[in-house]
Amino acid sequence: MAVEMQTEDFPYLPSGPAEINKMIKEHGDLFSDSQCKVCSAVLISESQKLTHYQSKKHANKVRRYLSMHNEETAVKKMKTVSSDTDCNNGDTDRLKACHVCNMTFSAPVVAESHYQGKVHAKNLRLKTVGPQTPVAPPPTPTAQPKKKPADDSSAAPATGGNNNNNNNNPDRFCSICQASFNNPLMAQQHYVGKKHRKKMTKLKLMETYGLSTAPASTLNGYPCTVCNIELNSVEQYQSHISGAKHKNQ
């Protein structure tokens, strides 16, 4: 900047033509009778000039401009000068380039838009405060492998005496369905299943009506040795046993 502006004595909101003309005279690099460079406004008449420079919108933009200017000045004072060129330029190239973000501008309006943006504010904060060390997330607990049941070693088919022991253990073998299990949970699921309950109902009916001595080949159905017929389901068998034809036989 050609003229160093101080926040406390700079007229944000001048009152009357005298203060406006004084402001233009002292800060001609920013304001003139025909243009306000801070607001990028063209003033084509005296009344428009007075209205603009006394508006709150203009005052707010001047405050933001000075705020960004003061921040840039503080950062540049903290930065080590790397060459005589940088030292000679100082703040005069602020509207041409941003050393914080390593950017160049084609016009003052583009520069002011950048200085008021989020990217510049973020880079300025990082340069002043320094990057913050990210907090590492807590370590994820490692899943422990599930311990195998103590009797898993007997899951494989055994021979000899071990096989006989498994056949006598209802958690390992179902003698009715001739099914073997690897663990008690599998056995429990089998015993509440449809297939096992169907066979249990069949056996109970045969024991009730004295049919437990029927040939093994007929156990796939529901045989009635009295009438010498075989039924396909429990319902058919019960209906037959209750019928007059069976009772006559």
Side-chain angles (χ1 to χ4, degrees), residues 207-221:
E207 289 175 359
T208 300
Y209 295 102
L211 302 177
S212 58
T213 58
S217 60
T218 64
L219 292 180
N220 292 328

Side-chain angles (χ1 to χ4, degrees), residues 9-36:
D9 59 4
F10 186 86
Y12 290 124
L13 196 62
S15 177
E19 288 190 7
I20 292 175
N21 292 331
K22 181 181 177 181
M23 178 187 70
I24 293 174
K25 182 178 179 181
E26 294 179 352
H27 307 288
D29 56 336
L30 295 178
F31 314 117
S32 69
D33 293 332
S34 60
Q35 183 181 15
C36 173

Side-chain angles (χ1 to χ4, degrees), residues 57-224:
K57 182 178 180 181
H58 167 78
N60 291 334
K61 286 195 175 184
V62 171
R63 286 191 183 95
R64 286 198 298 268
Y65 178 85
L66 292 180
S67 176
M68 297 300 298
H69 171 76
N70 291 336
E71 287 181 3
E72 284 295 307
T73 303
V75 170
K76 289 180 179 180
K77 286 180 180 179
M78 295 173 60
K79 184 178 179 181
T80 304
V81 180
S82 59
S83 65
D84 293 339
T85 304
D86 293 338
C87 183
N88 292 333
N89 287 340
D91 292 337
T92 57
D93 62 348
R94 179 178 181 275
L95 299 179
K96 296 180 180 179
C98 174
H99 299 294
V100 177
C101 304
N102 195 23
M103 294 178 62
T104 57
F105 312 117
S106 58
V109 177
V110 178
E112 291 307 323
S113 176
H114 166 75
Y115 289 131
Q116 296 177 21
K118 294 181 179 180
V119 175
H120 176 76
K122 179 180 179 181
N123 291 338
L124 185 63
R125 184 170 60 253
L126 291 175
K127 199 171 187 68
T128 305
V129 180
Q132 297 180 355
T133 304
V135 179
T140 305
T142 305
Q144 298 293 334
K146 294 183 179 180
K147 294 183 179 180
K148 295 183 179 181
D151 58 350
D152 272 5
S153 58
S154 59
T159 57
N162 290 336
N163 193 26
N164 294 332
N165 292 336
N166 287 339
N167 291 344
N168 295 329
N169 184 357
D171 288 338
R172 311 295 297 180
F173 184 76
C174 174
S175 58
I176 296 174
C177 303
Q178 297 296 308
S180 58
F181 318 113
N182 293 333
N183 53 64
L185 179 60
M186 184 182 295
Q188 184 180 2
Q189 291 176 346
H190 167 77
Y191 290 131
V192 298
K194 183 178 179 181
K195 179 180 178 181
H196 177 80
R197 287 187 298 167
K198 183 176 180 181
K199 287 200 175 186
M200 287 295 298
T201 303
K202 177 179 177 179
L203 288 178
K204 287 179 181 179
L205 286 173
M206 294 177 69
E207 289 175 359
T208 300
Y209 295 102
L211 302 177
S212 58
T213 58
S217 60
T218 64
L219 292 180
N220 292 328
Y222 296 85
C224 174

